[in-house]
Amino acid sequence: MAWVAGDQLQGGKYTIERKLKTGRFGINYIAKNKQHDFLLLKTLDVNSLTSLNQLEKERLETMFMREAVKLTLCQHEHIVKFYEPFKEAGYSCLVMEYIPGETLDKLGKISPEEALIYIQQIGAALTIVHQHHLIHGDVQPENIILRAGKSEAVLIDFDLVLDFDHELTTRRVRENVEGFASLELCTKNTKPTAASDIYSLAATFYYAITGQLPETALKRKIDNKRLIPPQELISSISNELNLAILKGMELEAKNRPESIELWLKLLNSNSHNANAESQNANAKNQNVNAEGQNTNAASHTNNGTENKPSVNWDKRMQILTLVITAIAAFGALLQGIASWNSQTTPPPNPTSTKK
């Protein structure tokens, strides 16, 4: 099955615009409704699954429609919106929100602070999914899209999000990008659980802040390959955050946090500790700056004190000069008065002689 641009579904309710990608279980399309809104159309093509017998195909199709109905109940700002399931020409379809933007894998390496925002948002979305007894099963950077122009991460491409208690919930590693799949997603006769999504989300966090794919679960288990702690690749993250990521990526599901909420609390507490450390560091810097300012002030005070004698001596010299000048002027004035008096005094009368 492959619809082409212009094909109309549900009596003209939806019109195919173009094909996006082909997965193991079907094809994704961009379509428009009668209001010309863009939508995403996910299909299930059981006829292409040659590895399944007819009974398994019927069961898978039934599960697809059942899970599609459940997904319409998972309403959350960080989950792609699911509108309605329907059947067209024998094929099962699910209409979803179309989100313009870039997927997380296109950003490359980002700061731990920015990555933590997105991981917390997707963690909140997975909480809703798990509350409805569903799993995503394919959490990875390629399936997290950032709304254009916003710092909002949205979980997309649920593919076949199947119930916990069914044997067909088992996914093979070929359906996942290596490095993001937990051990139970890579081995036969195992069922993924909420812990599987925790592993994948922790691995996504690992990739976002280091820019490197983590070692695969299979190689860690079979070949005893070492998972390089993220702190060895990016030294700026705290010890607590480093341990929280590694805890989420424990090989055995039983060793991971029991729920996505508990893992998020672990991340949040580590984030608060990191913020507290940052605040303490800032406080220390402020104290150092204050001490520096006090030292400068003291230095200015000392400089002022050292300069004062020089200023006082100059003033004293000026006053002394004025005093000396005044004394000299006064002396000259006295001499002038004395000279004037000597010139204005009449000469004495001569003594007369009797004959």
Side-chain angles (χ1 to χ4, degrees):
M1 175 199 70
W3 290 316
V4 296
D7 285 350
Q8 294 189 341
L9 312 180
Q10 297 293 284
K13 188 176 181 179
Y14 305 109
T15 302
I16 299 296
E17 289 289 312
R18 68 179 186 272
K19 183 171 70 173
L20 281 182
K21 66 177 182 178
T22 301
R24 181 187 174 193
F25 296 105
I27 304 174
N28 290 348
Y29 298 89
I30 290 182
K32 277 186 178 181
N33 59 17
K34 290 184 177 181
Q35 290 73 40
H36 299 287
D37 299 319
F38 284 105
L39 301 166
L40 185 66
L41 191 64
K42 182 179 290 293
T43 66
L44 176 65
D45 183 7
V46 295
N47 294 324
S48 65
L49 304 178
T50 57
S51 61
L52 301 181
N53 60 42
Q54 187 59 36
L55 182 61
E56 289 174 330
K57 290 179 181 179
E58 292 176 359
R59 183 185 302 148
L60 184 59
E61 189 167 24
T62 299
M63 291 172 60
F64 179 91
M65 296 301 291
R66 184 185 67 192
E67 303 306 312
V69 171
K70 288 185 179 180
L71 286 173
T72 61
L73 303 177
C74 297
Q75 299 297 320
H76 191 273
E77 59 183 329
H78 298 296
I79 299 177
V80 60
K81 291 182 175 61
F82 299 93
Y83 296 126
E84 67 166 345
F86 65 86
K87 295 196 88 172
E88 181 78 21
Y91 297 106
S92 300
C93 306
L94 177 60
V95 182
M96 298 182 296
E97 171 189 17
Y98 171 70
I99 303 174
E102 286 190 327
T103 51
L104 189 59
D105 61 306
K106 297 296 193 298
L107 297 186
K109 181 180 176 181
I110 59 177
S111 70
E113 294 77 16
E114 182 181 3
L116 183 60
I117 293 173
Y118 301 143
I119 295 301
Q120 288 172 330
Q121 292 174 348
I122 299 303
L126 286 172
T127 298
I128 300 298
V129 174
H130 295 166
Q131 286 174 357
H132 285 83
H133 304 289
L134 300 167
I135 59 170
H136 187 284
D138 195 14
V139 178
Q140 55 168 296
E142 186 180 348
N143 289 335
I144 297 173
I145 193 168
L146 307 178
R147 291 189 188 275
K150 297 181 180 181
S151 295
E152 294 182 6
V154 182
L155 188 60
I156 62 171
D157 205 359
F158 279 64
D159 205 1
L160 280 179
V161 183
L162 304 177
D163 211 325
F164 289 169
D165 59 357
H166 199 284
E167 66 272 16
L168 289 183
T169 55
T170 303
R171 307 279 301 280
R172 298 281 70 80
V173 70
R174 63 177 176 272
E175 299 174 49
N176 296 271
V177 174
E178 287 190 0
F180 302 108
S182 64
L183 188 62
E184 59 272 19
L185 285 171
C186 305
T187 53
K188 294 181 179 180
N189 302 319
T190 57
K191 299 177 184 178
T193 65
S196 307
D197 284 342
I198 294 174
Y199 184 101
S200 298
L201 188 58
T204 297
F205 197 0
Y206 183 108
Y207 172 80
I209 63 175
T210 65
Q212 296 188 26
L213 286 172
E215 188 60 78
T216 67
L218 273 181
K219 289 183 179 179
R220 292 170 60 193
K221 179 69 174 180
I222 298 174
D223 301 331
N224 200 28
K225 292 287 187 178
R226 175 175 177 262
L227 174 63
I228 301 175
Q231 196 175 44
E232 292 186 16
L233 301 174
I234 173 170
S235 59
S236 60
I237 68 170
S238 65
N239 293 329
E240 294 80 7
L241 192 59
N242 180 68
L243 293 176
I245 294 173
L246 295 177
K247 186 65 177 177
M249 295 185 67
E250 286 280 358
L251 270 181
E252 301 297 333
K254 64 182 180 181
N255 295 330
R256 300 172 211 146
E258 294 181 359
S259 67
I260 196 75
E261 295 97 326
L262 291 177
W263 187 66
L264 288 176
K265 286 182 180 179
L266 188 61
L267 281 182
N268 290 334
S269 63
N270 292 330
S271 175
H272 293 325
N273 290 338
N275 289 335
E277 292 177 2
S278 177
Q279 291 175 355
N280 290 335
N282 290 335
K284 289 180 181 179
N285 290 334
Q286 290 175 354
N287 289 336
V288 170
N289 291 335
E291 291 176 0
Q293 291 175 354
N294 291 336
T295 302
N296 291 336
S299 176
H300 289 316
T301 301
N302 292 335
N303 289 339
T305 304
E306 293 173 358
N307 291 336
K308 281 182 179 179
S310 176
V311 173
N312 292 339
W313 176 253
D314 291 342
K315 288 184 177 179
R316 289 173 183 174
M317 289 297 295
Q318 292 175 359
I319 294 172
L320 183 60
T321 301
L322 290 175
V323 171
I324 294 173
T325 303
I327 293 174
F330 184 71
L333 178 62
L334 291 179
Q335 289 180 352
I337 293 173
S339 175
W340 182 77
N341 286 336
S342 63
Q343 293 177 0
T344 56
T345 303
N349 292 330
T351 305
S352 58
T353 303
K354 291 184 179 180
K355 301 280 181 154

